[in-house]
Amino acid sequence: MKKIAVLFAGLIVALSVVPGLSLAADATAPVREIIDDTKKNWASDVSDWIDIFEESRLVRLYSKDFGDKYRAAAKNPAADEDGISPFDYDVIVNGQDACPLQDLSIESGQPANGTTEVTVKFKAATCMEGAPNKDAFTTVRFEVIEEAGKPVIDDIMIQGEEGQGPISLKEAMVQIANGE
């Protein structure tokens, strides 16, 4: 029995140091960081806006392809006047206004074809009296891949208008970069 325990412990150590045999990285890690910062941005006591697409985050939390598309979109003269983002809204809450995020959940799906979908749900309008969507959930899907041995966000799928499917942020950035 003792030999089996020693062999099992040795197998665990071997798997942890052999490249390609380690356990899959946590696909929710980059998403959690972005959501934590978005949550801080919409907290009632926020002082400084946290740019979730700031260059050091682009290279650390997002795929190379996503970062390249973001930089191309940011060069378009149609970028927001503040010079911070090619978007004129918060892409996570899918709007220009929001309340402190409520009832937040983050769930990771099973990896498929090299991508893990991480779904985030929250209420963003609970403080907006009289708003028809006050208690509605916003759903954001993050497509997370492994790049250079770590999980990174490759796309963000935001809710479209009523009756419209989700919108790929990468596709939107390509359109912005092309002046569409």
Side-chain angles (χ1 to χ4, degrees), residues 4-18:
I4 292 174
V6 170
L7 287 173
F8 184 70
L11 178 62
I12 300 254
V13 170
L15 288 175
S16 67
V17 296
V18 175

Side-chain angles (χ1 to χ4, degrees), residues 31-85:
V31 174
R32 284 188 189 284
E33 185 170 337
I34 295 305
I35 294 302
D36 285 348
D37 288 341
T38 300
K39 198 172 170 183
K40 288 174 191 170
N41 282 342
W42 292 106
S44 58
D45 61 350
V46 68
S47 57
D48 290 327
W49 189 262
I50 301 167
D51 181 4
I52 63 169
F53 299 116
E54 184 268 326
E55 183 61 29
S56 69
R57 291 172 192 273
L58 274 179
V59 298
R60 186 171 54 84
L61 300 175
Y62 298 92
S63 69
K64 180 179 180 334
D65 186 51
F66 186 100
D68 290 346
K69 284 178 173 50
Y70 182 86
R71 288 181 203 91
K75 290 178 184 175
N76 189 297
D80 195 10
E81 297 107 31
D82 62 13
I84 294 173
S85 169

Side-chain angles (χ1 to χ4, degrees), residues 66-142:
F66 186 100
D68 290 346
K69 284 178 173 50
Y70 182 86
R71 288 181 203 91
K75 290 178 184 175
N76 189 297
D80 195 10
E81 297 107 31
D82 62 13
I84 294 173
S85 169
F87 309 107
D88 62 353
Y89 66 101
D90 182 314
V91 298
I92 303 301
V93 301
N94 200 15
Q96 292 179 334
D97 296 311
C99 304
L101 305 184
Q102 301 292 316
D103 300 328
L104 182 88
S105 68
I106 300 174
E107 294 182 16
S108 179
Q110 293 298 315
N113 301 319
T115 302
T116 301
E117 184 176 283
V118 178
T119 303
V120 178
K121 293 182 181 180
F122 53 86
K123 292 180 182 178
T126 56
C127 68
M128 296 179 189
E129 291 303 320
N133 63 344
K134 181 178 176 182
D135 291 317
F137 276 92
T138 297
T139 301
V140 184
R141 293 184 302 127
F142 292 80

